[in-house]
């Protein structure tokens, strides 16, 4: 193709209006035919359209064609017989490609100047030897040759030279010198490099040896940068917005229930609490306005742990009484110095301090109706009084003792005041549950895998 096939820049495109002289549309299979001068059936579609220069009617010609070893393009040409204005440009008939493309052509012979080139609006053209660049979106798309690209660049630089010379602009002389260098490139006196970089991936440089490899042409595909995506108007799909989950940690839920003492209607408050360095627990409290009865209970917010937990605290200072403590329903308590042991489920689940739990234990033991009254054994009564005195000494910090919490479910907790460092007075052990402990927790009969097959066979 001669250099005259280059696309010249012009005013905005013509406004197209349908005409009664439209040719019948070709079959879908032959909509894009390979470009060829010998194909007589490949004729452009002519559409009468408005000239945006003189506002008279001109003629737009559209040619849907296919570049060999490339893809489909639309070549459009407009001419106005009234004012003589004309404009030609190309558009890709496909979508923006998944990756950008960069063609690096080393021009060594005059034959390379005749290579077909498809340059889209978004392509940047560079000639490193001359430090020359045509930025993206500064020219319309073109179906031309390498020689046509250089000729088009020369025409663009010469366009305003007469005005620069008349104004004695200092840049006019430098531009003339640069134009001479561009014209010398057309003679291919020495090899030079032509780079076409198109983020849309729709530009093309012909390989005359196709489908064989061209040693003078290097094709590089690359992922677009964020700036290039914005330049092409591409927007990444925003991730689907997940519905906002209701945060129950900051809310106190209420539900209606009956008082366990007088059976009057009452309300139970429930709140989800995150214990630092442990897990979430559910605190439930009921307050009866009829009889004044109050009760509170703590439930573990998680599953049964794989291992049981045994926590041993050596009480050496009154400040130990302020440690936060979570005792689940499955936790037993032992104080060896008092020869005391509290079994599972006694006192229920509690979230309190060590002092609060010890006081609850003292009250539970000393106010037991079966150990008080006239029928009580004097020896037993004396032992209870001794137990109560020693418990008071522990609470006041006057007696050292060991406090042991053993929870096979692993859902109990005692605050480590040195966290995240180890507490020298506290020992936390993880152990494997025995068969009897699993039996008490109901884990031996619990089947969590493969139960669907058993249900299907029963049906």
């Amino acid at each position: 193709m001669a250099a005259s096939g280059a696309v010249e820049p012009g005013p905005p495109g013509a406004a197209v209006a349908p005409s009664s002289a439209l040719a019948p549309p070709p079959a879908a299979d032959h909509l894009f035919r390979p470009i060829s001068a010998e194909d007589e059936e490949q004729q452009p579609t002519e559409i009468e359209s408005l000239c945006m220069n003189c506002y008279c009617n001109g003629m737009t010609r559209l040619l849907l064609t296919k570049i060999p070893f490339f893809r489909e393009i639309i070549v459009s040409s407009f001419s106005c017989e009234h004012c003589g204005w004309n404009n030609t440009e190309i558009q890709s008939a496909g979508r923006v490609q998944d990756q950008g493309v960069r063609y690096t052509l080393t021009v060594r012979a005059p034959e390379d100047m005749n290579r077909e080139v498809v340059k889209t609006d978004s392509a940047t053209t560079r000639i490193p030897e001359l430090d020359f660049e045509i930025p993206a979106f500064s020219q319309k798309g073109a179906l031309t040759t390498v020689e046509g690209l250089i000729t088009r660049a020369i025409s663009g630089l010469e366009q305003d030279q007469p005005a620069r010379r008349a104004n004695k602009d200092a840049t006019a002389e430098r531009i003339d010198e640069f134009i001479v260098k561009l014209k010398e490139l057309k003679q291919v006196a020495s090899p030079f490099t032509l780079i076409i970089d198109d983020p849309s991936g729709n530009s093309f440089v012909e390989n005359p040896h196709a489908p064989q490899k061209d040693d003078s042409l290097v094709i590089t595909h690359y992922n677009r940068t964020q700036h290039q995506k914005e330049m092409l108007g591409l927007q990444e799909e925003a991730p689907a917005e997940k519905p906002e989950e209701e945060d129950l940690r900051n809310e106190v839920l209420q539900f209606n229930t009956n008082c366990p003492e007088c059976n009057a209607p009452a309300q139970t408050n429930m709140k989800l609490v995150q214990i630092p360095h442990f897990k979430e627990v559910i605190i439930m409290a009921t307050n009866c306005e009829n009889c004044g009865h109050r009760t509170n209970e703590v439930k573990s917010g998680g599953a049964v742990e794989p291992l049981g937990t045994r926590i041993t605290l050596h009480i050496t200072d009154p400040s130990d009484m302020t440690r936060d403590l979570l005792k689940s329903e499955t936790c037993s308590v032992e104080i060896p110095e008092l020869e005391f042991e509290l079994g599972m489920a006694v006192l229920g689940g509690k979230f309190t301090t060590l002092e609060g739990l010890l006081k609850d234990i003292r009250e539970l033991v000393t106010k037991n109706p079966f150990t008080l009254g006239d029928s009580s054994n004097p020896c037993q009564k004396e032992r209870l009084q001794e137990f109560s005195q020693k418990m008071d000494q522990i609470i006041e910090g006057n007696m050292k003792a060991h406090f042991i919490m053993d929870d096979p479910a692993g859902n109990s907790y005692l605050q480590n005041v040195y966290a995240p460092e180890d507490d020298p007075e506290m020992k936390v052990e993880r152990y494997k549950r025995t068969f009897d402990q699993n039996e008490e927790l109901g884990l031996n009969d619990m089947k969590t895998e493969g139960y669907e097959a058993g249900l299907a066979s029963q049906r």
Side-chain angles (χ1 to χ4, degrees):
M1 184 182 290
S4 59
V7 177
E8 298 298 332
V16 179
S19 170
S20 59
L22 287 176
D29 296 340
H30 303 286
L31 190 62
F32 292 91
R33 303 167 66 93
I35 187 169
S36 174
E38 299 177 357
D39 188 357
E40 297 181 356
E41 296 182 3
Q42 188 181 36
Q43 298 296 328
T45 301
E46 295 185 351
I47 305 174
E48 186 177 356
S49 52
L50 179 67
C51 174
M52 301 306 294
N53 190 41
C54 67
Y55 298 101
C56 296
N57 282 343
M59 187 64 65
T60 295
R61 295 174 176 83
L62 298 176
L63 178 64
L64 281 64
T65 186
K66 182 177 181 180
I67 304 295
F69 303 103
F70 185 51
R71 57 176 61 91
E72 297 85 359
I73 62 171
I74 300 174
V75 182
S76 62
S77 173
F78 176 80
S79 60
C80 178
E81 60 182 7
H82 302 283
C83 66
W85 181 74
N86 59 74
N87 179 42
T88 307
E89 63 180 83
I90 71 158
Q91 293 179 350
S92 173
R95 61 179 178 85
V96 174
Q97 303 304 308
D98 295 332
Q99 291 182 309
V101 65
R102 182 184 300 109
Y103 291 90
T104 304
L105 174 66
T106 303
V107 181
R108 297 189 176 93
E111 291 79 9
D112 292 329
M113 302 296 291
N114 293 326
R115 291 181 185 240
E116 288 184 354
V117 175
V118 175
K119 177 187 172 298
T120 65
D121 300 0
S122 58
T124 299
T125 304
R126 291 194 296 270
I127 302 177
E129 287 79 1
L130 299 183
D131 197 18
F132 175 68
E133 178 176 325
I134 303 175
F137 299 104
S138 61
Q139 293 180 343
K140 292 288 185 179
L143 171 59
T144 179
T145 62
V146 174
E147 182 182 1
L149 279 178
I150 298 175
T151 302
R152 184 180 184 183
I154 293 173
S155 300
L157 291 174
E158 289 179 339
Q159 186 173 4
D160 295 329
Q161 279 297 86
R164 294 191 188 98
R165 295 190 187 99
N167 296 331
K168 296 181 180 181
D169 194 335
T171 59
E173 184 177 350
R174 292 199 296 270
I175 292 177
D176 286 336
E177 294 175 356
F178 193 83
I179 291 174
V180 172
K181 293 180 181 179
L182 287 176
K183 290 180 178 180
E184 291 176 354
L185 291 182
K186 296 171 65 175
Q187 307 302 322
V188 198
S190 61
F192 67 92
T193 305
L194 175 69
I195 301 175
I196 297 180
D197 190 340
D198 186 3
S200 73
N202 287 324
S203 291
F204 170 75
V205 175
E206 179 191 9
N207 174 8
H209 309 290
Q212 298 178 357
K213 182 180 178 181
D214 188 347
D215 295 333
S216 299
L217 183 64
V218 177
I219 305 174
T220 306
H221 295 274
Y222 61 88
N223 294 325
R224 286 181 283 267
T225 64
Q226 187 62 33
H227 174 70
Q228 290 172 330
K229 291 178 181 178
E230 294 174 357
M231 181 179 66
L232 295 174
L234 299 178
Q235 293 182 350
E236 296 182 355
E237 294 185 2
E241 294 184 359
K242 296 182 179 179
E244 294 184 1
E245 297 181 358
E246 187 177 1
D247 189 3
L248 301 180
R249 294 176 181 82
N250 299 324
E251 289 189 28
V252 177
L253 303 180
Q254 293 183 338
F255 54 91
N256 296 325
T257 185
N258 291 333
C259 174
E261 291 292 327
C262 65
N263 203 33
Q267 277 195 337
T268 296
N269 298 329
M270 183 176 70
K271 191 174 189 304
L272 193 65
V273 178
Q274 174 68 46
I275 298 179
H277 307 288
F278 187 53
K279 60 173 68 174
E280 291 180 337
V281 297
I282 301 173
I283 300 178
M284 304 174 66
T286 303
N287 183 15
C288 179
E289 296 181 354
N290 185 48
C291 67
H293 175 75
R294 294 184 179 183
T295 181
N296 64 78
E297 190 175 1
V298 177
K299 299 286 187 180
S300 173
V304 175
E305 295 295 321
L307 298 175
T309 302
R310 182 182 292 107
I311 304 174
T312 303
L313 173 66
H314 186 202
I315 303 174
T316 59
D317 191 88
S319 62
D320 290 331
M321 293 295 109
T322 61
R323 292 177 185 249
D324 289 333
L325 178 147
L326 170 65
K327 176 194 172 299
S328 72
E329 294 179 335
T330 58
C331 179
S332 61
V333 176
E334 183 180 355
I335 304 176
E337 286 78 4
L338 301 183
E339 297 181 357
F340 173 79
E341 184 174 349
L342 184 72
M344 285 187 187
V346 182
L347 292 179
K350 280 189 173 295
F351 181 50
T352 178
T353 61
L354 179 56
E355 181 182 5
L357 182 61
L358 292 179
K359 287 184 176 180
D360 288 341
I361 292 175
R362 182 188 61 185
E363 184 176 354
L364 175 69
V365 174
T366 57
K367 294 187 178 181
N368 190 333
F370 295 100
T371 60
L372 299 175
D374 297 336
S375 61
S376 62
N377 190 331
C379 295
Q380 187 179 18
K381 187 175 183 180
E382 184 178 345
R383 287 198 301 269
L384 288 177
Q385 290 177 352
E386 182 182 356
F387 174 86
S388 177
Q389 292 174 0
K390 289 183 178 180
M391 183 67 77
D392 289 338
Q393 291 177 5
I394 294 175
I395 294 174
E396 294 170 0
N398 298 326
M399 177 179 175
K400 295 182 179 180
H402 289 82
F403 180 82
I404 302 173
M405 299 174 63
D406 191 343
D407 188 357
N411 287 327
S412 293
Y413 162 82
L414 182 60
Q415 182 185 11
N416 175 6
V417 293
Y418 295 90
E421 303 295 332
D422 293 334
D423 190 332
E425 302 297 337
M426 188 169 72
K427 181 181 178 182
V428 180
E429 301 174 83
R430 308 286 180 183
Y431 63 88
K432 186 176 181 180
R433 288 184 289 268
T434 64
F435 179 87
D436 292 338
Q437 287 174 327
N438 283 330
E439 187 70 22
E440 290 181 3
L441 296 175
L443 299 178
N444 290 333
D445 298 328
M446 189 178 297
K447 190 175 182 182
T448 59
E449 296 180 358
Y451 59 87
E452 299 93 341
L455 292 175
S457 61
Q458 292 177 4
R459 293 173 183 173

